[in-house]
């Protein structure tokens, strides 16, 4: 296997790397990163007969190992490769602990700066403009003036809807930010939705908009991708729904152990990304003995789009 083979493997993993550097743990962008975010990492060793690279994604917690070069390795060479992999593992864990501790402080400070969404705030006006109800949930907050940074430049301050993204143990992992205009619209920005730097693995983390509820005598919960989609699905189907933030988050959803009935609200994507994520989640939860129902909008879009169509037809 060659150097180009390695770059191809890293690209397939989701890392945006065109040239490898040695000498320590390196940061890089992933396909999901926006602006100056760099959630990817790698450690490349080329000081032994076989090149070795360990790489991963801070946000999801996924990692992989690649070894190339001389395929006829001696026992000593194989031991050297394992030693390099162990060095990379220790470096990664140290770096991760330091970054996550710093991120946890920043996320808590950001959350504590925010206010309840109330009924007459920018966030409330935004939700109503989307045809949604204004939930009384502690996981959504209102920030009256949040700085917006893009590629290292501050583009201004804007009101924002904050959402707590927590892991299955209810620990705050990141803060989802939706930037708004004072009237409750969407400002002209490179992207109006961003995640803060994570303080732990994103896998299994969700925005828990409401508590599971009894449905036909069984505890039930729904899962969708976005906040607006989750609120719309709750209105349309009458079950509490959480947001997984992305298709990957939906696929990695871990329901509470007491919940046996799961409603999966898939996006209808032209790329089939949302449908495939829902299919894989449904298969995993069904094998685990849960009762699973998958609902997909009849046309391209998500359930927030479908809700607006329903309201328009009334």
């Amino acid at each position: 296997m060659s150097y180009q083979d390695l770059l191809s493997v890293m690209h397939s993993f989701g890392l945006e790397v065109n040239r490898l550097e040695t000498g320590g743990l390196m940061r890089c962008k992933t396909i999901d990163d926006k602006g100056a975010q760099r959630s990817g990492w790698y450690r490349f060793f080329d000081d032994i007969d076989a090149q070795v690279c360990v790489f991963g994604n801070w946000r999801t917690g996924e990692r992989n190992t690649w070894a190339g070069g001389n395929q006829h390795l001696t026992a000593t060479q194989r031991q050297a490769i394992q030693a390099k992999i162990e060095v990379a593992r220790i470096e990664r864990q140290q770096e991760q602990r330091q970054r996550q501790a710093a991120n946890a402080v920043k996320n808590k400070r950001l959350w504590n700066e925010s206010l309840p969404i109330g009924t007459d705030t920018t966030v409330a006006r935004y939700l109503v403009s989307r045809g949604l109800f204004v939930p009384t949930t502690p996981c959504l907050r209102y920030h009256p003036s949040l700085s917006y940074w893009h590629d290292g430049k501050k583009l201004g301050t804007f009101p924002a809807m904050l959402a707590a993204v927590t892991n299955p143990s209810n620990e705050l992992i990141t803060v989802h930010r939706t930037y708004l205009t004072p009237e409750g619209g969407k400002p002209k920005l490179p992207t109006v939705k961003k995640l803060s730097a994570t303080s732990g693995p994103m896998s299994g983390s969700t925005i828990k908009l409401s508590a599971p509820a009894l449905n036909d005598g069984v505890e039930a919960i729904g899962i969708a991708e976005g906040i607006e989609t989750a609120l719309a699905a709750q209105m349309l189907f009458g079950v509490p729904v959480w947001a997984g933030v992305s298709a990957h988050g939906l696929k990695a959803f871990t329901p509470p152990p007491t919940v046996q009935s799961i409603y999966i609200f898939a996006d209808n994507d032209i790329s089939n990304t949302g449908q495939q994520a829902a299919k894989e989640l449904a298969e995993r939860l069904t094998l685990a003995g849960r009762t699973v129902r998958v609902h997909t909008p009849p046309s391209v879009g998500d359930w927030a789009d479908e809700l607006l169509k329903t309201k328009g037809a009334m």
Side-chain angles (χ1 to χ4, degrees), residues 75-109:
T76 300
Q77 289 171 328
R78 293 185 184 280
Q79 288 176 355
I81 289 175
Q82 290 302 317
K84 297 296 185 184
I85 293 173
E86 180 64 13
V87 167
R89 185 187 69 80
I90 293 172
E91 289 179 343
R92 178 182 60 84
Q93 288 182 341
Q94 291 175 339
E95 170 90 0
Q96 188 175 46
R97 281 194 293 267
Q98 292 170 357
R99 287 183 177 272
Q100 289 181 347
N103 293 340
V105 172
K106 292 179 182 178
N107 288 336
K108 186 176 181 179
R109 182 168 62 241

Side-chain angles (χ1 to χ4, degrees), residues 27 33-34 36-39 57-60 95-96 98-111 146 163-165 171-177 179 194-202 205:
R27 300 298 298 270
D33 283 337
K34 304 291 190 300
Q37 291 179 333
R38 292 187 302 161
S39 302
N57 186 321
W58 295 115
R59 184 177 293 162
T60 64
E95 170 90 0
Q96 188 175 46
Q98 292 170 357
R99 287 183 177 272
Q100 289 181 347
N103 293 340
V105 172
K106 292 179 182 178
N107 288 336
K108 186 176 181 179
R109 182 168 62 241
L110 172 60
W111 191 253
L146 187 61
V165 184
E171 298 169 316
L172 182 64
I173 298 300
T174 182
V175 178
H176 184 281
R177 301 161 290 173
Y179 289 87
K194 290 189 171 188
L195 291 173
S196 64
T198 59
S199 59
M202 277 287 291
S205 296

Side-chain angles (χ1 to χ4, degrees), residues 4-314:
Q4 289 302 319
D5 292 327
L6 170 56
L7 289 178
S8 178
V9 171
M10 295 175 77
H11 290 162
S12 298
F13 186 81
L15 303 185
E16 296 184 351
V17 181
N18 296 316
R19 180 178 176 276
L20 292 166
E21 299 181 39
T22 59
L25 198 67
M26 302 296 174
R27 300 298 298 270
C28 62
K29 294 182 75 66
T30 74
I31 57 174
D32 294 323
D33 283 337
K34 304 291 190 300
Q37 291 179 333
R38 292 187 302 161
S39 302
W41 60 269
Y42 69 88
R43 180 66 154 96
F44 181 55
F45 302 94
D46 64 351
D47 53 351
I48 55 178
D49 289 345
Q51 295 173 329
V52 178
C53 187
V54 183
F55 52 90
N57 186 321
W58 295 115
R59 184 177 293 162
T60 64
E62 296 174 316
R63 67 184 184 93
N64 204 350
T65 301
W66 181 94
N70 184 357
Q71 300 301 303
H72 303 288
L73 303 175
T74 65
T76 300
Q77 289 171 328
R78 293 185 184 280
Q79 288 176 355
I81 289 175
Q82 290 302 317
K84 297 296 185 184
I85 293 173
E86 180 64 13
V87 167
R89 185 187 69 80
I90 293 172
E91 289 179 343
R92 178 182 60 84
Q93 288 182 341
Q94 291 175 339
E95 170 90 0
Q96 188 175 46
R97 281 194 293 267
Q98 292 170 357
R99 287 183 177 272
Q100 289 181 347
N103 293 340
V105 172
K106 292 179 182 178
N107 288 336
K108 186 176 181 179
R109 182 168 62 241
L110 172 60
W111 191 253
N112 289 339
E113 290 173 356
S114 62
L115 305 167
I117 59 176
T119 57
D120 190 29
T121 63
T122 299
V123 172
R125 288 191 285 275
Y126 165 69
L127 294 173
V128 170
S129 74
R130 296 292 304 271
L132 302 167
F133 71 102
V134 180
T136 55
T137 173
C139 76
L140 293 184
R141 302 274 287 179
Y142 161 59
H143 198 296
S145 184
L146 187 61
S147 297
Y148 186 97
W149 292 83
H150 179 70
D151 288 340
K153 296 180 181 180
K154 183 177 177 179
L155 302 187
T157 57
F158 302 84
M161 177 172 70
L162 304 187
V165 184
T166 55
N167 65 14
S169 299
N170 288 320
E171 298 169 316
L172 182 64
I173 298 300
T174 182
V175 178
H176 184 281
R177 301 161 290 173
T178 303
Y179 289 87
L180 304 168
T181 65
E183 298 75 26
K186 291 185 178 181
K188 293 182 179 179
L189 294 169
T191 176
V192 297
K193 296 184 179 183
K194 290 189 171 188
L195 291 173
S196 64
T198 59
S199 59
M202 277 287 291
S203 184
S205 296
T206 53
I207 299 170
K208 300 172 178 60
L209 292 163
S210 54
L214 287 177
N215 188 12
D216 294 330
V218 178
E219 271 202 335
I221 195 70
I223 182 68
E225 291 188 29
I227 298 168
E228 297 86 349
T229 307
L231 293 175
Q234 181 165 329
M235 294 174 67
L236 289 167
F237 290 85
V239 295
V241 186
W242 293 355
V245 181
S246 65
H248 185 278
L250 183 142
K251 184 172 69 172
F253 173 58
T254 303
T258 58
V259 175
Q260 292 300 312
S261 182
I262 314 296
Y263 293 77
I264 303 173
F265 297 103
D267 285 3
N268 187 336
D269 296 327
I270 295 176
S271 65
N272 202 49
T273 302
Q275 299 93 312
Q276 183 62 30
K279 178 178 180 292
E280 293 182 27
L281 173 62
E283 290 173 350
R284 175 167 60 83
L285 293 181
T286 300
L287 286 173
R290 312 288 180 112
T291 300
V292 180
R293 301 170 181 84
V294 179
H295 297 281
T296 307
S299 56
V300 172
D302 57 34
W303 286 106
D305 299 323
E306 198 65 24
L307 177 67
L308 288 177
K309 293 176 186 177
T310 302
K311 286 180 172 290
M314 295 174 62

